[in-house]
C-alpha cells in the first residue's frame, strides 16, 4: 500500500536511504518556545521528526487549569497545552514548522482522546500516538471499556480525514519496564490491529528497550514478524530508549542511549525515540534534546552488522506473543471487545499495574541471565518460572537494574564509557 501521510512517507524514505529517524520527547508551554524547539530539532545534524508533547492538565482534559497555567506560569507547564492555545494557534505553529521534510507528531497521554483528536485533525497534525490499553491502564482509573469506546470514535474521526494522520501504538511501552517482551509485542500488535480495524492506514508499532540486548533483538524480530502477519497496512517499528529508572551519571546515561541506538540498527527499527540524561530529573532544554538526537544518530551511523554484532536470543518469544494475541482474539467480536474481554478474564495481565480493570495476578522478574521473564502467569497462557513473591526491596532492585548496571560500568571504564 502506498503511504499517503507525510509522517509515514518521511520514515519510509529515510529507511530506504539507510538512515535511522531519531525523535525527541519534547514539549513546552509557550508557543514561542515550542516553535524554537521544533526549529532546533529540524536543523539538528540528524534525520529527525518533530514532537509536540502535551502537558499533564491537557492529558487529563482539565482545560480550566491548563488555561490558568498558560496565563499565569506558562514556563511551569510540563508540556504543550494544545487545547488551551486553540486550533488556530496550533495550525499556524505547524504551518510554520512542519513539512514533508519535517513532519511533527503530537504525543498526548490521555485515555479519552476524542476532543484532542478533533482538534488535531482541524489543526493538520501529521501524526499522533497512544492506544486504548497503553494510554488507559498505566495512566489513571478510566474504565477500559470507556477508553476503548472513545478511542474507537477518535480513530474513526481521524480515518475520515482527507489524509488520515499516522498513528503509533504505545502498547510496546507498557509501564516502561518490568513487562516481559512477549506481552509488549502482543499489546503493540493488538493495538495496531485495533487502529487498522477503525480505518487508519499509516501505523507504527512501538517497543521499549528493556535490560538484555539479545532478548530485545528477539523481541523486535518477533514484533516485525507478527505485525507482518496481522496487519495489511503500511507500518514500521519504533524503538524507545529505556523508559525506566535512568543512570545517575552522565557517562552511564550516554552508554544506555548509545546501546539503544545500536539496538535500533541491529533490530531493524526505522525510528528511535531518545531520552536525555536530564529527563529523569527535570524537563530537558532544547539544547539537551538536540544533543541527545545528534549523539544517537552518530552512534547509529557508525554501527554495522559485523562479526561483533550482538545476537538475538532464541527463547520462543514470538510463539508466546502469538499465543497471547490469539487468546485475546477469542474473547470478543471486534478488537475493542477483545481487549476489554481479555483483560476482564486475565488472559492479558500487566504485572505491577494497579488499574482496576487489570487482574494484577501476573508477575515478572529478572533471571540469572539478566533477561525479563514471568515469575507468575496469573491467567495468561504463558510459561512462568514460579519464583517466590516479589518483596518491596526486591522490586526496588528490579526497577533499578539498568541504572546500577550502567553506572557501575562507567566507574569501571570511565574513558571508554564516555565515548
Amino acid at each position: 500500500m502506498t503511504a499517503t501521510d507525510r509522517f509515514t512517507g518521511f520514515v519510509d524514505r529515510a529507511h530506504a536511504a539507510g538512515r535511522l529517524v531519531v525523535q525527541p520527547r519534547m514539549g513546552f508551554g509557550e508557543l514561542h518556545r515550542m516553535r524554537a524547539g521544533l526549529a532546533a530539532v529540524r536543523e539538528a545534524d540528524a534525520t529527525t521528526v518533530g514532537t509536540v508533547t502535551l502537558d499533564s492538565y491537557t492529558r487529563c482534559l482539565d482545560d480550566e487549569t491548563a488555561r490558568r497555567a498558560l496565563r499565569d506560569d506558562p514556563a511551569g507547564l510540563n508540556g504543550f497545552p494544545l487545547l488551551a492555545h486553540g486550533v488556530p494557534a496550533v495550525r499556524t505553529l505547524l504551518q510554520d514548522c512542519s513539512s514533508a521534510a519535517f513532519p511533527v507528531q503530537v504525543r498526548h497521554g490521555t485515555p479519552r482522546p476524542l476532543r484532542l483528536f478533533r482538534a488535531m485533525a482541524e489543526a493538520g497534525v501529521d501524526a499522533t500516538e497512544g492506544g486504548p490499553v497503553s494510554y488507559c491502564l498505566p495512566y489513571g482509573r478510566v474504565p477500559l471499556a470507556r477508553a476503548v469506546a472513545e478511542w474507537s470514535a477518535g480513530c474513526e474521526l481521524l480515518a475520515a480525514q482527507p489524509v488520515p494522520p499516522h498513528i503509533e501504538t504505545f502498547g510496546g511501552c507498557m509501564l516502561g519496564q518490568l513487562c516481559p517482551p512477549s506481552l509488549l509485542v502482543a499489546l503493540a500488535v493488538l493495538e495496531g490491529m485495533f487502529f487498522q480495524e477503525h480505518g487508519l492506514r499509516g501505523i507504527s508499532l512501538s517497543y521499549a528497550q528493556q535490560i538484555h540486548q539479545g532478548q530485545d533483538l528477539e523481541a523486535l524480530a518477533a514484533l516485525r514478524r507478527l505485525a507482518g502477519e496481522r496487519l495489511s497496512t503500511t507500518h514500521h517499528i519504533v524503538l524507545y530508549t529505556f523508559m525506566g529508572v535512568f543512570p545517575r551519571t552522565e557517562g552511564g546515561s550516554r552508554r544506555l542511549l548509545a546501546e539503544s541506538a545500536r539496538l535500533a540498527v541491529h533490530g531493524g527499527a526505522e525510528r528511535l525515540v531518545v531520552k536525555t540524561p536530564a529527563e529523569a530529573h527535570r524537563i530537558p532544554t532544547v539544547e539537551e534534546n538536540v544533543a541527545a538526537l545528534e549523539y544517537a544518530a552518530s552512534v547509529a551511523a557508525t554501527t554495522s552488522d559485523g562479526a561483533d554484532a550482538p545476537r538475538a536470543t532464541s527463547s520462543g518469544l514470538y510463539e508466546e506473543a502469538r499465543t497471547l494475541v490469539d487468546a485475546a482474539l477469542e474473547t470478543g467480536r471486534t478488537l475493542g471487545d477483545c481487549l476489554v474481554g481479555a483483560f476482564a478474564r486475565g488472559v492479558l495481565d500487566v504485572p505491577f499495574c494497579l488499574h482496576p480493570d487489570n487482574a494484577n495476578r501476573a508477575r515478572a522478574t529478572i533471571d540469572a541471565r539478566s533477561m525479563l521473564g514471568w515469575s507468575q502467569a496469573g491467567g495468561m497462557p504463558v510459561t512462568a518460572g514460579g519464583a517466590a513473591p516479589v518483596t518491596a526491596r526486591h522490586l526496588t532492585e528490579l526497577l533499578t537494574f539498568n541504572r546500577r548496571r550502567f553506572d557501575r560500568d562507567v566507574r569501571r571504564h570511565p574513558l571508554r564509557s564516555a565515548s
Side-chain angles (χ1 to χ4, degrees), residues 220-240:
L220 287 169
L223 178 56
R224 187 173 299 279
R225 179 179 174 185
L226 197 53
E229 293 169 353
R230 304 304 172 101
L231 298 178
S232 60
T233 56
T234 298
H235 60 271
H236 70 262
I237 305 300
V238 51
L239 176 69
Y240 281 70

Side-chain angles (χ1 to χ4, degrees), residues 104-333:
V104 172
Q105 182 187 53
V106 172
R107 309 185 64 85
H108 59 91
T110 180
R112 298 174 53 203
L114 184 55
R115 288 180 58 227
L116 280 167
F117 281 0
R118 187 174 292 114
M120 289 182 203
E122 292 175 6
V125 168
D126 292 312
T128 189
E129 46 70 66
V133 173
S134 56
Y135 268 5
C136 177
L137 265 59
Y139 282 77
R141 301 178 67 85
V142 173
L144 181 58
R146 183 175 183 181
V148 165
E150 190 149 334
W151 274 87
S152 297
C155 289
E156 289 170 6
L157 182 150
L158 295 180
Q161 302 308 304
V163 179
H166 181 94
I167 191 163
E168 170 198 318
T169 165
F170 203 61
C173 304
M174 182 64 65
L175 288 184
Q177 59 183 325
L178 292 187
C179 191
S182 61
L183 182 58
L184 296 179
V185 169
L187 287 171
V189 172
L190 285 165
E191 286 193 333
M193 294 171 68
F194 176 90
F195 294 153
Q196 178 176 271
E197 182 177 82
H198 288 287
L200 292 165
R201 291 293 175 260
I203 296 172
S204 52
L205 300 101
S206 68
Y207 178 76
Q209 176 191 21
Q210 298 297 313
I211 59 172
H212 188 286
Q213 195 169 37
Q215 187 181 36
D216 285 341
L217 286 169
E218 184 182 4
L220 287 169
L223 178 56
R224 187 173 299 279
R225 179 179 174 185
L226 197 53
E229 293 169 353
R230 304 304 172 101
L231 298 178
S232 60
T233 56
T234 298
H235 60 271
H236 70 262
I237 305 300
V238 51
L239 176 69
Y240 281 70
T241 299
F242 182 66
M243 295 172 64
V245 181
F246 230 56
R248 292 174 173 171
T249 64
E250 176 78 16
S253 298
R254 285 172 62 84
R255 286 192 67 252
L256 183 51
L257 175 57
E259 185 168 292
S260 72
R262 288 189 286 268
L263 175 62
V265 173
H266 292 310
E270 288 89 339
R271 181 161 54 99
L272 173 67
V273 180
V274 308
K275 193 170 184 179
T276 69
E279 201 162 341
H281 314 287
R282 56 174 170 78
I283 297 174
T285 64
V286 172
E287 293 76 17
E288 288 167 333
N289 274 293
V290 170
L293 293 169
E294 292 182 340
Y295 179 62
S298 69
V299 172
T302 56
T303 297
S304 62
D305 288 319
D308 59 345
R311 295 290 180 261
T313 55
S314 181
S315 66
L317 197 158
Y318 161 78
E319 288 78 11
E320 189 167 273
R322 184 184 62 190
T323 298
L324 288 170
V325 170
D326 289 342
L329 294 177
E330 293 176 356
T331 64
R333 182 177 57 85

